[in-house]
Amino acid sequence: MTRSYLLVASLAPLLGATRTFMQAAVIGISMLLLTVLHQTLLHPLRPRLDGAMYGLASLLLVAALACCLQLALRAWALPLALALGDFPALICVQCLAMDRLLPEQGRWRQLSVHLAGLLGLCLLLGASRQWLENGLNLHIASLAPGALLLLGLLLALYNRLRPGPAPSRRQGKR
């Protein structure tokens, strides 16, 4: 599985729907729920269908799940559904990309690691954007370009704090 493709597929809902912590929590849980349901319902179809039929079944299933998600949000949390807009429907792209990119062996482990990281990133980005907007009065944090800049800063911080490979002891010596 190539992480860069999954990150690109997850960027639109991640950047657009995380203005507040509550919106970030809802979009993160929606991503988690929709992806797990999609993979669970496709599991019995995987050995029976192949090629274009499998792709069509996957597309129809994820579209039905996204419609149910949007209807549920509108029924039980209308102000939040209006604030999220069409971003819950964009989770379909992420589900279809995951279905193509996940390998057959170890599928559920990689899916759970990716979804846990994505949920954590949603919550962190939502809390950071809300704090920057309300606490420091930075209006750009509530806009999509501000979210992209903040995501870049968070990824740079992660790369800086992540332990890298140990340097070779023979480095520079012959």
Side-chain angles (χ1 to χ4, degrees), residues 4-19 23 27 31 83-94 118 121-122 125 129 143-145 147-148 151:
S4 61
Y5 290 125
L6 289 179
L7 180 64
V8 168
S10 306
L11 267 182
L14 182 69
L15 295 177
T18 57
R19 288 181 67 182
Q23 289 177 0
I27 201 72
M31 284 181 186
L84 289 176
D86 292 329
F87 288 111
L90 287 176
I91 300 173
C92 294
V93 176
Q94 174 190 349
L118 194 60
L121 189 60
C122 276
L125 193 61
R129 287 178 73 182
L143 303 173
L148 191 60
L151 180 65

Side-chain angles (χ1 to χ4, degrees), residues 19-127:
R19 288 181 67 182
T20 64
F21 183 75
M22 181 59 74
Q23 289 177 0
V26 169
I27 201 72
I29 291 170
S30 298
M31 284 181 186
L32 180 84
L33 184 67
L34 200 66
T35 307
V36 168
L37 278 174
H38 180 247
Q39 290 298 313
T40 304
L41 293 173
L42 274 180
H43 184 69
L45 296 176
R46 212 169 267 120
R48 293 188 177 109
L49 298 175
D50 58 341
M53 293 302 291
Y54 178 76
L56 181 63
S58 176
L59 183 65
L60 288 174
L61 183 64
V62 77
L65 288 172
C67 287
C68 290
L69 174 69
Q70 283 192 316
L71 288 174
L73 282 174
R74 287 183 184 266
W76 290 304
L78 184 61
L80 193 57
L82 292 176
L84 289 176
D86 292 329
F87 288 111
L90 287 176
I91 300 173
C92 294
V93 176
Q94 174 190 349
C95 291
L96 292 173
M98 278 190 197
D99 191 39
R100 292 282 185 199
L101 295 174
L102 286 174
E104 290 300 318
Q105 300 295 353
R107 183 179 197 89
W108 290 101
R109 180 186 299 166
Q110 283 189 343
L111 180 67
S112 62
V113 166
H114 175 74
L115 288 175
L118 194 60
L119 180 63
L121 189 60
C122 276
L123 295 176
L124 183 64
L125 193 61

Side-chain angles (χ1 to χ4, degrees), residues 138-155:
L138 290 175
H139 180 65
I140 193 168
S142 67
L143 303 173
L148 191 60
L149 290 172
L150 184 60
L151 180 65
L153 289 173
L154 289 173
L155 289 175

